[in-house]
Structure formats: structure tokens, C-alpha cells
Amino acid sequence: MNWRDVPSLSALRAFEAMSRLGGFSAAARELNVTHAAIAQHVRGLEAELHQVLVTREGRGMALTEAGRILAAALSDGFAEIAAGVAQTRSFGAEQPLKIAMTPSFAENWLMPRIGAFWTEHPKIKLAMVPGYEMVNLKRDGFDMAIRYGRGGWDGVEAEYLVSAGNVVVATPELASNVPYGDVEALGKQQWLHEVGRAEPRAWLAEQGLEFPPDQKTEFTMNTMVLAATRAGYGFSLQGRALVEADLAAGRLVSVFEAQKSNLAYYILTRPGVMSADLKIFRDWLRASASDG
């Protein structure tokens, strides 16, 4: 990197604040400088880059296309810097590992096993954060995420943990009405789905399973889908990793299963140095998946 090609960091900081806050005055208040100083930095940037970055729009300011490109890059860059500074400040301090995961994975795969980790490593604290949003490990301050998909995510190191598989499940009573693997019979049953979860529906469609609206009940979270399935309200498609305990206990039975699937749960970490505690937790996840 040649720093001579990079404009003044003070000017970049002023432009980022102005673009984020929507005006010179707000940026000046945040950075504790004058309105004129912010305006001077922005005009200087425009002169150096030979681009118009901001225009006046009524009483406010609007970014040009060039301004939006620069603003987005600066937002990401300064966020990474802030995350790195925060990580450095907390390095060596007794901070819990912050782990992101889907609620379904947390409830059905991790929580039944996590007691063994606490017994083996009582001094390692975990902050487990279930949610459906895609987190940015650096920007959002996460040490690890466990994500469902096919791999290939940018900006992270992704390691296969456990196959999600694909298995259609129901209570033994409901399943007794359907011969195993009978797609035609399955198509006549009541189904339970999670709203907006497209991949399982695509997989079902590939198997020839399409359902009229009156045969589908939708829930906002897969944890609710599983609870409804266990209660005997219908059939649902689940990752095998999420229903292992139910299948082993006989609460649910498999009525259709994919023989091959490239969908899986992956361990995602930031590239670079990994703390000793995070390595221990990662290794424990690997061993638990292997045992399973």
C-alpha cells in the first residue's frame, strides 16, 4: 500500500461522518470541529480525487454516485478498524467468546451438548447469540459463527462441522399413515414450514413435493415448526443434525430422507490469529460433531 495515494485520514473521516449523518453541521458536532472545517475537508477531497462527491439538495446534502462508492468503502474500512482496536484492547482480558448461530441449531444441536463443554472447561465463558441475521464477525464483534449453507462465504475461514442432511419427520402416529419414501402419499399430508426459508422448499420441490396452500401452515421460526411437528400437527423438513435427539428418543420418525446433500453447518472464524479459548471451543465442536 502506498500512503501517498491515500488522501488525508482527517479528510476521509470528515467525509465519512458527513455522509453517514447527512450534513456538515452534524458531522462537525460529532467530530467536535467547525462546520467550515468539514466543508473544507470535503472540498479538498473532491479536488484531490477530481470527482464531485456531494451536492446540495434543498436544505440538505446528497451524495453523488462517486460519493456513495467512497462512503460505502469508508464505512466498511472504519468499522474494521474499530473492531480491530476493540479486539486489541480486550486481548488477554477475561471476555466471553461471542458465538452467533441460528436458534434451531442452538436449541436442538448445541444446547443438549454444551453441558459437557462447561464441565471440561469451566473457566471459558461463552456468549451464545442465536439469530437469523447474517452477522459480520469483525464489524459485529463476534469470535465465531455457526452458519447453515453450502460454504464459500467471503472474508471468513469456513470449516465443515456437521451435515445438515434433509429428513422429513413426523410423530410416529402421523408417520404410520405414510409408507416410507412415498412422495405421492406425502403430498397429501399437512405440512409445517418456516416463513421465508427458501432452501428447504426448493429441495422439497426437487423431490416432486408441491403442496396447495390449504396443506401448509407457516411459522416465523423453525423452533416453532419443530414444536408443532412434535405435537403432531403435521410433517416438516429438518436438518438431521437438528432432530437427532428426537429420532433417537422416538418422538419423531423419518419418513423421507435425502441420501446425499451438500447442505451443512459450518464453523466461521475471522482469518488470522485465533485465541487459545476459541481454539479449545472449536476443537470441542469438532469432537462433538464426530461423536454424533
Side-chain angles (χ1 to χ4, degrees), residues 63-86:
L63 297 179
T64 65
E65 182 62 24
R68 285 192 290 271
I69 291 171
L70 180 59
L74 290 176
S75 177
D76 291 342
F78 285 139
E80 293 226 1
I81 291 171
V85 170

Side-chain angles (χ1 to χ4, degrees), residues 182-252:
D182 189 330
V183 172
E184 183 177 353
L186 282 171
K188 298 176 182 177
Q189 308 305 312
Q190 188 66 30
W191 282 79
L192 311 170
H193 291 299
E194 180 184 2
V195 174
R197 198 171 169 211
E199 285 186 315
R201 295 191 188 194
W203 182 89
L204 287 169
E206 288 176 357
Q207 316 310 314
L209 287 164
E210 295 280 0
F211 318 103
D214 61 355
Q215 286 179 222
K216 294 186 291 188
T217 302
E218 294 188 321
F219 299 87
T220 56
M221 296 185 296
N222 192 54
T223 50
M224 297 174 68
V225 174
L226 269 172
T229 307
R230 292 173 184 135
Y233 298 147
F235 292 70
S236 70
L237 178 71
Q238 299 293 335
R240 174 169 273 277
L242 302 182
V243 291
E244 286 174 346
D246 292 288
L247 294 173
R251 290 186 294 270
L252 298 175

Side-chain angles (χ1 to χ4, degrees), residues 17-24 26 60-61:
M18 184 281 302
S19 62
R20 174 167 44 85
L21 298 172
F24 291 165
M61 309 299 293

Side-chain angles (χ1 to χ4, degrees), residues 1 15 27 77 82 91 125 137 145 157 177-178 180 192 218 238 277 281:
M1 175 176 170
F15 177 75
F91 190 79
K125 306 302 181 186
L137 296 182
E157 293 184 355
N177 300 320
V178 177
Y180 184 87
L192 311 170
E218 294 188 321
Q238 299 293 335
D277 284 354
F281 183 61

Side-chain angles (χ1 to χ4, degrees), residues 22 37 48 63 65 75 83 135 143 156 162-163 175 242 253 257 260 274:
E48 184 169 350
L63 297 179
E65 182 62 24
S75 177
V135 301
D143 298 286
V156 294
V162 61
S163 173
L242 302 182
V253 296
E257 188 165 0
K260 293 183 179 180
M274 185 182 295

